[in-house]
Amino acid sequence: MMIKLTTFYFNPKSNSPKKKQLPGIKYSVEDVVWAKFNRRPWWPCHVTTDPQIEVHTKMKDPSRRPCRLYFVRMFGEILDQAWVPAKATFPFEGGHQFEKLPVLRRRGRQKDKDYKYTVKLTCNLFVLKISVKLFLDYGQCCGAFHLQCIGLTETPKGRFICQECKTGVHTCFVCKKPDKEVRRCMIPVCGKFYHMECILKYSPTVAQNRGFRCSLHVCLACFITNPANPGISKGRLTRCVRCPVAYHANDYCMAAGSIPLANNSFLCPNHFTPRKGCKNHEHINVSWCFVCSEGGSLLCCESCPAAFHRECLNIDMPQGSWFCNDCRAGKKPHYKDILWVKVGRYRWWPAEVTQPKNVPENIYRMRHEVGEFPVHFFGSKDYVWTYQARCFPYMEGDANNKEKMGKGADAVYKLALNEAAERFRELQAEKEMRQLQEDRKNDKKPPPYKHIKVNRPIGKVQIITADLSEIPRCNCKAEDENPCGIDSECINRMLMYECHSQVCPAATRCQNQSFTKRQYTEVEIFRTLSRGWGLRSVSDIKKGAFVNEYVGEVIDEEECRARIKHAQENNICNFYMLTLDKDRIIDAGPKGNQSRFMNHSCQPNCETQKWTVNGDTRVGLFALEDIPTGVELTFNYNLECLGNGKTVCKCGAPNCSGFLGVRPKNQPSSDDKVRKLKKKVAVKRKSQLEVSKEREDECFFCGDGGQIVSCKKPGCPKVYHADCLNLSRRPAGRWECPWHQCNVCRREAASYCEMCPNSYCKQHREGMLFISKLDGKLSCTLWALDTMNRTKCR
């Protein structure tokens, strides 16, 4: 049954309402039209859905006359979108229509030759899936074209082949330069051509047989998270129309600031162009190192605010432009990410990346470019459009940073920090649950590795085998109840030496041959909630029991460096290396046993022990406590973190340090808590407003700020300019400032001037220090003389 919609419009000159029919719907989603709006010339656009109300057409309200509006988005480098009345649209047939389009009431210079905007009509560069009649190229490029766009007036007979396919000179999709040396992606339906040096800059590119698969067939976000995930190339992908970047068509993978053009195409944030004179488009870097959090001479990324000491990255000073590892890999902010954002002269402020369709309409209508995304500030509840070069990721524990909570932290900023921390925990829980479901769907088995039973030497590394005469003999006897057992007084067990069956007096009854006989505890590999694969016990394990031996390839330091470099270049984030001795490392990555799946914990139930077995060093995992059935087995990695930053620890222990390689927090006992409570009552309570600072802000020598170096002596807050101390370069390692050395003999100081870096030992302090009558501080005579001289000069 057809229903005809009618409406009544009141005519003020008449006493009766006038009955009029509503205008019909001329266009559907993805129709291509000419549209005139925002003082621009007639422009080719496509009808799309308004992300705010999720419709492509509506009636203008209020309006004295019935007027139907369509939501259109422009093609080309200038991206804009708006609701346009039907009278300002015409069906698109080709570029030849431009001269015949009418001039509307708002006249512009759309027919001027030198008009500031240029209409691009090469539609094959933008959206292929449109309702205008297209015909396919049967050549290698698999393109689709409008007749008018390639200068034809009628459809060619037979199979059409474009000019590039006829001549064999194709354009590289990355650098846009035509060349005969370009190579085609081996995926049959792709049709993109590249210079090899251009496409290899994109890490998802995979070499296959004699060709390659370009990065347009892999979700970049999923690839960065886990390159081994089989789901990175599955599911519906949406691809950038200007560069080989693709994402899964969902809010979790799509980079913030992307402009969707159709169901399978978009414009990625890599094509952001800053506006001249716009302060919020200026690139900015932080003033501290992302690794050690100290200031000084920093190496700054030219794509994001990250900055590092060259020494912290352990690299040589690069020539020309430099980008951090995350930017080189193509990592971008995503929707629902928590970021630190810099706006104007305000401090770095925590904010959440918001979907454009979820922001207020006045914010959505603010001018913004490709690559810009709206963020919602915590505390103040403000919105702003920003981009990658003015924000960096929020990390767990940032809200507890004393430097951020210290000087000048008002109530709104403290509220923002608390809200950001709470929201970050919520999003992390959602992300972990989603990741677990995805991993369980994709990874039904642990990642492949070759199972070996003993260590395998690689290269020049040798496995040591001792002579029987060199193996120590214990004093146990075969008649003992448990000879060489855990509770015995076996001297070899105490010294972590394994007995030899031909040397030990207990012979076959010896219980100290767990490594040789591989007397492992029964365990199983399982999928954890948020830490990948793990290892758990199948039966109860007693304290001190031998769980397993850590087995893998034994490599030297040179091979270790080469493998770590290869892992960093290929975004491999899982390492299985364990130091055996000063010259050898065990790498259980490619080859190993079940122990390689044991995760880290700041409060572990197992530990590593180095035993001497038949003259060689072996690493075993032993239980630190009684472990019931089904409990995950963990040990402390004691990892030394190098590179762009610290790895977040997800062990969930009460004393978790938050990062791998950071010493766990001490857990005080109940007696310690009672003792501290009594001491707290006895001591006078300090003011709550007092905030202790780990480092001072100004040079202790001259009192000015700037690039400063800090003293590494525990408890010393002093910082200095390198020039004030006559240092030619930034000191490396654990550097101690001159305040801790006597001015005369350079021995350890006992008395310190509180006004300058002068200090003295017990032998030389007499007559050199006095208590100032002005502020009651301990001052030195040298500082007093210097102050008097400056006063006379004034």
Side-chain angles (χ1 to χ4, degrees):
M1 182 175 68
M2 297 291 291
I3 299 176
K4 182 176 280 189
L5 296 176
T6 59
T7 185
F8 292 94
Y9 289 89
F10 181 74
N11 186 351
K13 297 182 180 179
S14 174
N15 294 327
S16 61
K18 187 177 180 181
K19 190 175 181 180
K20 288 188 178 181
Q21 185 177 346
L22 288 176
I25 299 177
K26 294 170 57 179
Y27 309 114
S28 58
V29 177
E30 298 303 328
D31 281 355
V32 179
V33 298
W34 289 100
K36 181 80 170 65
F37 62 97
N38 288 356
R39 296 184 178 271
R40 299 188 188 278
W42 286 99
W43 205 283
C45 306
H46 66 107
V47 181
T48 186
T49 303
D50 185 353
Q52 293 279 343
I53 58 178
E54 298 184 349
V55 295
H56 76 285
T57 181
K58 65 179 181 179
M59 295 300 297
K60 187 176 181 180
D61 186 35
S63 176
R64 297 179 63 86
R65 298 178 182 178
C67 177
R68 181 169 291 280
L69 305 175
Y70 293 92
F71 192 76
V72 299
R73 182 177 289 135
M74 297 167 55
F75 291 124
E77 295 181 2
I78 303 171
L79 293 179
D80 202 356
Q81 54 193 15
W83 284 98
V84 181
K87 67 178 182 180
T89 62
F90 281 90
F92 181 89
E93 296 177 2
H96 64 281
Q97 293 177 284
F98 184 67
E99 298 296 331
K100 300 177 182 179
L101 292 171
V103 178
L104 300 182
R105 182 177 300 173
R106 282 187 187 172
R107 292 179 174 85
R109 292 180 295 139
Q110 73 267 27
K111 293 187 179 181
D112 290 358
K113 184 177 181 181
D114 298 325
Y115 189 65
K116 67 182 289 188
Y117 299 117
T118 304
V119 181
K120 289 209 170 186
L121 302 177
T122 52
C123 302
N124 61 313
L125 290 177
F126 302 108
V127 181
L128 302 181
K129 191 178 179 182
I130 53 181
S131 59
V132 179
K133 288 184 179 180
L134 296 168
F135 61 97
L136 299 177
D137 179 4
Y138 287 90
Q140 287 186 311
C141 70
C142 303
F145 303 92
H146 295 128
L147 287 175
Q148 295 81 1
C149 293
I150 55 174
L152 299 179
T153 56
E154 58 181 10
T155 305
K157 297 179 181 179
R159 293 192 170 190
F160 170 76
I161 298 177
C162 70
Q163 191 65 25
E164 285 191 354
C165 293
K166 288 179 180 178
T167 59
V169 180
H170 292 276
T171 302
C172 174
F173 189 53
V174 177
C175 66
K176 312 302 180 188
K177 295 179 181 179
D179 194 350
K180 285 188 177 181
E181 300 299 323
V182 294
R183 297 177 62 183
R184 185 180 185 272
C185 173
M186 65 183 302
I187 301 298
V189 297
C190 180
K192 296 292 186 292
F193 288 80
Y194 306 92
H195 293 111
M196 286 306 297
E197 59 270 18
C198 292
I199 191 58
L200 289 178
K201 294 177 182 178
Y202 294 83
S203 52
T205 303
V206 178
Q208 294 180 347
N209 298 329
R210 296 182 180 180
F212 64 92
R213 182 194 69 187
C214 75
S215 52
L216 280 174
H217 309 285
V218 172
C219 174
L220 181 59
C222 295
F223 178 84
I224 293 173
T225 303
N226 181 12
N229 184 358
I232 59 177
S233 57
K234 298 179 181 178
R236 185 166 68 90
L237 293 173
T238 178
R239 299 174 173 88
C240 180
V241 296
R242 295 186 189 171
C243 66
V245 170
Y247 295 104
H248 282 123
N250 58 54
D251 293 341
Y252 303 118
C253 294
M254 184 71 73
S258 301
I259 302 295
L261 302 175
N263 291 333
N264 60 349
S265 59
F266 73 101
L267 199 58
C268 75
N270 290 332
H271 308 290
F272 170 80
T273 303
R275 293 199 306 268
K276 291 184 178 180
C278 181
K279 291 186 177 180
N280 282 337
H281 281 191
E282 295 176 359
H283 181 249
I284 188 171
N285 289 94
V286 298
S287 58
W288 63 88
C289 173
F290 267 27
V291 176
C292 66
S293 300
E294 298 287 344
S297 180
L298 298 171
L299 184 61
C300 297
C301 177
E302 296 191 24
S303 181
C304 72
F308 304 90
H309 291 128
R310 183 184 60 80
E311 297 84 2
C312 292
L313 294 181
N314 196 22
I315 61 173
D316 297 329
M317 184 60 69
Q319 299 294 329
S321 301
W322 181 82
F323 300 92
C324 65
N325 288 347
D326 287 344
C327 292
R328 282 200 298 269
K331 191 173 183 180
K332 303 286 182 183
H334 295 274
Y335 297 112
K336 287 191 174 183
D337 278 359
I338 308 296
L339 307 174
W340 290 101
V341 181
K342 182 74 169 175
V343 177
R345 300 182 66 180
Y346 292 97
R347 69 197 315 162
W348 289 98
W349 202 284
E352 180 179 354
V353 183
T354 310
Q355 276 277 10
K357 62 182 180 182
N358 297 333
V359 302
E361 187 174 355
N362 63 323
I363 303 298
Y364 181 75
R365 291 186 177 276
M366 293 174 64
R367 184 179 178 183
H368 53 275
E369 310 292 338
V370 181
E372 287 189 283
F373 46 86
V375 294
H376 185 208
F377 288 107
F378 293 103
S380 66
K381 308 301 181 186
D382 293 325
Y383 288 90
V384 75
W385 289 85
T386 187
Y387 74 113
Q388 185 184 6
R390 298 186 69 87
C391 60
F392 64 91
Y394 178 98
M395 301 293 291
E396 189 172 4
D398 280 357
N400 299 324
N401 192 315
K402 291 183 179 180
E403 293 181 2
K404 293 186 176 67
M405 290 290 288
K407 185 177 180 181
D410 55 13
V412 179
Y413 188 63
K414 291 182 180 180
L415 176 63
L417 292 176
N418 294 332
E419 289 180 355
E422 184 177 355
R423 180 61 174 161
F424 182 80
R425 288 191 292 269
E426 292 177 6
L427 294 176
Q428 282 294 102
E430 292 178 11
K431 185 177 180 180
E432 289 173 1
M433 186 58 65
R434 188 171 63 251
Q435 187 66 37
L436 176 62
Q437 295 172 353
E438 184 71 18
D439 291 343
R440 283 180 173 173
K441 183 173 67 176
N442 296 328
D443 300 341
K444 296 181 179 179
K445 292 182 179 180
Y449 72 100
K450 186 174 181 180
H451 185 85
I452 56 176
K453 297 180 180 180
V454 294
N455 289 328
R456 298 284 178 87
I458 300 296
K460 300 178 181 179
V461 177
Q462 295 182 353
I463 300 296
I464 303 169
T465 303
D467 190 80
L468 290 178
S469 61
E470 299 174 350
I471 297 175
R473 177 187 178 94
C474 66
N475 297 324
C476 301
K477 298 179 181 179
E479 306 85 53
D480 294 343
E481 184 178 356
N482 293 308
C484 306
I486 296 178
D487 299 326
S488 68
E489 296 182 356
C490 177
I491 188 65
N492 279 357
R493 181 177 283 277
M494 293 178 183
L495 297 175
M496 294 186 183
Y497 278 83
E498 186 174 272
C499 297
H500 196 282
S501 57
Q502 299 180 16
V503 178
C504 182
T508 56
R509 293 198 65 224
C510 175
Q511 297 182 13
N512 185 25
Q513 298 179 24
S514 300
F515 283 88
T516 305
K517 296 181 179 180
R518 302 191 190 98
Q519 296 172 340
Y520 304 150
T521 304
E522 191 175 357
V523 294
E524 67 175 356
I525 302 167
F526 76 107
R527 164 66 76 176
T528 64
L529 180 64
S530 61
R531 297 187 291 162
W533 295 94
L535 204 65
R536 65 185 174 193
S537 58
V538 176
S539 58
D540 294 343
I541 302 175
K542 292 184 178 180
K543 181 179 179 180
F546 179 56
V547 178
N548 212 325
E549 181 184 2
Y550 198 86
V551 170
E553 293 180 333
V554 184
I555 59 177
D556 57 16
E557 191 173 350
E558 183 179 354
E559 176 66 18
C560 176
R561 286 201 194 97
R563 293 189 179 190
I564 291 176
K565 183 179 180 181
H566 176 267
Q568 290 177 343
E569 291 174 350
N570 292 274
N571 298 314
I572 299 173
C573 52
N574 293 324
F575 294 89
Y576 302 88
M577 296 180 181
L578 191 147
T579 303
L580 187 61
D581 51 40
K582 65 175 184 176
D583 299 319
R584 298 182 297 171
I585 298 101
I586 299 176
D587 184 8
K591 299 177 183 179
N593 60 5
Q594 290 178 321
S595 63
R596 69 193 293 276
F597 292 101
M598 195 176 290
N599 284 319
H600 163 85
S601 176
C602 295
Q603 193 173 349
N605 51 21
C606 296
E607 68 172 349
T608 56
Q609 295 180 7
K610 293 183 180 180
W611 283 60
T612 303
V613 181
N614 199 17
D616 198 10
T617 304
R618 308 262 283 270
V619 177
L621 294 158
F622 293 81
L624 284 171
E625 57 190 30
D626 293 336
I627 305 173
T629 304
V631 174
E632 184 182 2
L633 303 175
T634 58
F635 72 100
N636 193 326
Y637 286 179
N638 292 318
L639 181 70
E640 181 183 355
C641 297
L642 298 173
N644 268 13
K646 301 173 183 177
T647 304
V648 177
C649 179
K650 300 179 181 179
C651 70
N655 65 332
C656 180
S657 63
F659 299 94
L660 297 183
V662 179
R663 182 172 296 180
K665 303 170 186 175
N666 294 324
Q667 292 292 305
S669 63
S670 58
D671 295 338
D672 293 336
K673 290 180 179 178
V674 172
R675 196 180 302 113
K676 286 183 178 180
L677 186 62
K678 291 180 179 178
K679 186 177 180 181
K680 200 170 185 179
V681 173
V683 179
K684 184 179 178 180
R685 184 179 178 184
K686 292 185 178 181
S687 172
Q688 293 183 356
L689 297 175
E690 185 179 350
V691 179
S692 60
K693 295 178 65 175
E694 295 181 359
R695 292 284 182 269
E696 294 180 355
D697 299 325
E698 293 84 17
C699 173
F700 188 40
F701 193 92
C702 67
D704 294 332
Q707 293 189 356
I708 51 180
V709 294
S710 58
C711 177
K712 296 298 187 293
K713 189 176 181 66
C716 180
K718 303 304 179 185
V719 294
Y720 305 85
H721 295 121
D723 294 340
C724 292
L725 299 179
N726 296 324
L727 297 176
S728 58
R729 59 180 179 177
R730 178 187 176 87
R734 294 189 59 84
W735 174 78
E736 293 185 2
C737 69
W739 201 40
H740 306 287
Q741 302 170 1
C742 175
N743 278 24
V744 181
C745 62
R746 294 299 174 189
R747 294 179 182 176
E748 186 177 358
S751 300
Y752 309 90
C753 175
E754 297 182 48
M755 308 304 294
C756 68
N758 293 327
S759 58
Y760 302 93
C761 63
K762 293 181 180 180
Q763 183 179 356
H764 299 102
R765 66 183 177 184
E766 291 185 8
M768 300 302 297
L769 297 168
F770 65 95
I771 297 176
S772 175
K773 294 181 180 180
L774 296 175
D775 49 14
K777 293 183 178 180
L778 190 64
S779 307
C780 68
T781 54
L782 295 177
W783 174 83
L785 291 172
D786 184 56
T787 304
M788 291 174 62
N789 291 333
R790 280 182 288 173
T791 304
K792 289 179 181 178
C793 291
R794 290 177 187 173

